[in-house]
Amino acid sequence: MHKNWIAGEWVASQNTQQNLNPSDLSDIVGEYVRASAADVDAAIGAASQAWPAWSLSTPQQRFDALDFIGSELLARKEELGELLAREEGKTRPEAIGEVARAGQIFKFFAGETLRAAGEFLPSVRPGLNVEITREPIGVVGIITPWNFPIAIPAWKIAPALAYGNCVIFKPADLVPGSAWALAEIISRSGLPAGVFNLVMGRGSVVGPALVEDPRVHAITFTGSVGTGNQLLIDAVSRHKKVQLELGGKNPFIVLDDADLEVALDCTIQGAFYSTGQRCTASSRIIVERGIHDRFVEELAKRTSALRVGHALRSETQIGPVADASQLEQDMEYVAIGQREGAQLLCGGERLQRDTEGFFFSPAVFVNATNDMRIAREEIFGPVAAIVRADDYDHALALANDNEFGLSSGICTQSLKRATHFKRHIQAGMTMVNVATAGVDYHVPFGGRKGSSYGPREQGRYAQEFFTVVKTAYTAA
Ligand code: ADP
């Protein structure tokens, strides 16, 4: 039984849950406890007690803990990658890559502890100096989704600790295995009791307990639009600092002058890898008239040839959908697309394999229009809608006509178009001749419009959320 880590101890709970392998439902990955509201209260109490001392910890103390965590993640990336692939369903290479990235994130933020610089200015008044410094915010609630079970926790936990905050970490119920393994490493990293706490449990129990408690100063959340927007209202009305990463409906534009091979690679990678379950996936492919038919014909061929199967088999390119409700949602959107009048070119069906799992063939819709639900709403599965554009200006207008603004991309050989696109696309991230999904860990991550709220995540920009600024005046 995998327990929660609260106040420096492993804590049991009456409620438990099984973690199932979506590639093989007969494979139980493990048993995990579910926190009660009292467990969350204990974790918040422990974090509040630990915080005064931890907020004054030296950069070296924080560096040593983060560096230890990063080194162990990197050393165990194969083993932890297998666990991740088993519980979430992405392929083994993708899962190993995700664990390695989590390790690199901890290493990056270990380094950031040593680079905490402020500003020193003369005052406008005589005999005065002004210092601007950053201090930790306090106790941070971290709520994460199931699609990146170790990288998203890493990119929230590492900066939270690096800048001197205490953490209550609530992973997605669907994938507690990677979160628990990460917490187990953190439990041996030399942090004082209460600085880091793991509370696996139901969102409806743990979420409100974190949001409503005045001892929690900030909440960082990645997940669905509905849950995130409600959390925002509840948290902001209590004066908490909030950071949200929600959905995306990321456009990828293919212009007539694109290199067809690059365009196909970017589309397949962006739309279907990780089973399309990435908030940066490109599910809207906007294709200029002249290249449209050639592109679509080749895309259908390559999509149909993708090997869907058990996440741990070496030949598999696309693993299963993460769970039954996500599979149902994917199938529902395939039906919606057909009802709306788009044409299903390939895929969109449940597949049988020799293990019982949530296998689904990647789907391509053509003749989609930008007002259809399959082109407006986040499906979070391997379903791509192709929208035809008359020219570049039309493509850009279509790309911007959406409530989300997370990632975006364009495939073109024109420097002029690429430069114009980078400036005019309404998105937090944009890619030229590279897939919309797949980002670096040392630079900011986040979106505009309905995709995000609050300061950016990752890289040095993470300090905006995880610190508060102090302005100090000294009369010499
Ligand atoms: P996803 O389907 O991408 O996981 P969710 O919004 O359902 O998106 O879940 C994201 C995280 O939010 C999960 O850890 C989930 O348990 C948690 N969660 C669910 N309901 C709430 C809530 N009412 N308050 C806070 N967190 C919640």
Side-chain angles (χ1 to χ4, degrees):
M1 180 60 65
H2 298 83
K3 299 175 183 171
N4 278 321
W5 177 251
I6 298 172
E9 285 176 14
W10 294 107
V11 175
S13 188
Q14 271 182 342
N15 293 320
T16 62
Q17 67 155 332
Q18 283 186 339
N19 183 2
L20 296 182
N21 178 348
S23 298
D24 178 358
L25 298 177
S26 68
D27 176 28
I28 297 164
V29 181
E31 298 261 353
Y32 296 80
V33 301
R34 275 192 161 137
S36 63
D39 293 329
V40 184
D41 182 68
I44 298 172
S48 307
Q49 263 195 329
W51 185 58
W54 180 245
S55 72
L56 299 172
S57 57
T58 62
Q60 190 66 51
Q61 265 178 293
R62 300 197 297 272
F63 175 95
D64 289 344
L66 293 170
D67 188 56
F68 170 91
I69 300 162
S71 298
E72 184 158 335
L73 286 169
L74 288 169
R76 293 173 56 196
K77 66 180 181 182
E78 307 274 338
E79 169 213 340
L80 295 175
E82 177 164 329
L83 169 67
L84 198 162
R86 220 175 126 206
E87 72 170 345
E88 198 271 349
K90 66 183 64 173
T91 61
R92 188 196 297 265
E94 287 174 320
I96 292 171
E98 183 180 334
V99 176
R101 176 156 167 219
Q104 288 155 346
I105 290 168
F106 274 95
K107 293 278 189 179
F108 174 85
F109 283 105
E112 283 299 281
T113 63
L114 306 173
R115 288 188 282 266
E119 289 179 65
F120 181 87
L121 296 84
S123 164
V124 293
R125 290 173 279 163
L128 273 181
N129 291 320
V130 186
E131 291 154 62
I132 304 169
T133 50
R134 289 183 179 274
E135 295 181 5
I137 332 175
V139 175
V140 180
I142 292 179
I143 302 175
T144 58
W146 50 258
N147 63 331
F148 285 92
I150 204 159
I152 295 180
W155 83 50
K156 294 179 190 290
I157 294 168
L161 296 174
Y163 297 116
N165 301 286
C166 291
V167 167
I168 323 271
F169 168 41
K170 191 261 179 276
D173 339 17
L174 194 61
V175 288
S178 303
W180 188 89
L182 173 61
E184 195 280 325
I185 296 172
I186 297 175
S187 77
R188 291 184 281 102
S189 66
L191 295 175
V195 169
F196 171 84
N197 303 274
L198 170 73
V199 284
M200 300 176 289
R202 284 197 184 282
S204 55
V205 173
V206 180
L210 286 174
V211 173
E212 288 164 19
D213 196 304
R215 295 169 296 174
V216 176
H217 303 99
I219 308 258
T220 174
F221 170 95
T222 300
S224 62
V225 174
T227 306
N229 286 342
Q230 186 56 49
L231 182 145
L232 176 65
I233 293 166
D234 296 344
V236 166
S237 66
R238 292 173 170 84
H239 283 231
K240 290 190 204 306
K241 200 167 178 181
V242 183
Q243 180 181 56
L244 304 179
E245 290 300 343
L246 308 173
K249 190 72 190 176
N250 310 293
F252 186 72
I253 294 179
V254 178
L255 293 184
D256 285 350
D257 70 1
D259 178 319
L260 186 62
E261 279 303 311
V262 173
L264 289 162
D265 278 354
C266 292
T267 303
I268 288 183
Q269 160 63 237
F272 302 133
Y273 274 73
S274 296
T275 322
Q277 298 172 154
R278 295 186 282 195
C279 46
T280 49
S282 30
S283 49
R284 272 195 303 154
I285 315 297
I286 300 168
V287 186
E288 200 176 357
R289 221 171 15 185
I291 198 172
H292 180 274
D293 293 356
R294 269 188 302 145
F295 174 82
V296 160
E297 188 186 338
E298 199 52 38
L299 181 66
K301 254 192 251 166
R302 294 190 192 195
T303 303
S304 307
L306 288 169
R307 294 184 299 274
V308 179
H310 194 298
L312 291 173
R313 304 245 167 102
S314 59
E315 67 276 14
T316 297
Q317 292 171 289
I318 309 291
V321 174
D323 75 344
S325 67
Q326 184 59 54
L327 179 65
E328 204 178 301
Q329 179 165 314
D330 296 349
M331 312 268 281
E332 175 63 16
Y333 272 103
V334 169
I336 290 170
Q338 286 171 313
R339 276 206 301 276
E340 285 179 313
Q343 187 191 338
L344 183 63
L345 204 59
C346 62
E349 287 174 339
R350 183 151 193 192
L351 301 173
Q352 300 303 322
R353 293 291 180 261
D354 56 10
T355 50
E356 196 197 338
F358 303 118
F359 304 106
F360 178 76
S361 51
V364 176
F365 274 105
V366 286
N367 298 328
T369 56
N370 220 34
D371 56 348
M372 292 180 179
R373 286 182 62 194
I374 54 165
R376 299 205 78 77
E377 298 172 12
E378 184 176 52
I379 300 172
F380 220 60
V383 182
I386 314 283
V387 180
R388 194 191 299 251
D390 298 333
D391 55 21
Y392 166 73
D393 290 334
H394 184 213
L396 177 64
L398 289 170
N400 279 333
D401 174 23
N402 193 271
E403 67 174 283
F404 294 112
L406 187 58
S407 188
S408 59
I410 192 166
C411 198
T412 178
Q413 298 192 58
S414 156
L415 181 60
K416 185 177 163 193
R417 298 273 190 252
T419 304
H420 187 273
F421 181 76
K422 282 188 282 184
R423 175 62 186 83
H424 290 91
I425 186 70
Q426 295 160 7
M429 298 175 292
T430 192
M431 319 284 183
V432 176
N433 294 327
V434 62
T436 57
V439 294
D440 287 3
Y441 61 86
H442 67 309
V443 290
F445 176 96
R448 295 185 186 179
K449 301 198 274 190
S451 288
S452 300
Y453 179 88
R456 290 284 185 264
E457 302 198 80
Q458 301 197 63
R460 190 173 303 156
Y461 283 73
Q463 68 180 351
E464 292 301 327
F465 181 73
F466 289 104
T467 64
V468 284
V469 165
K470 179 172 279 171
T471 313
Y473 295 84
T474 307

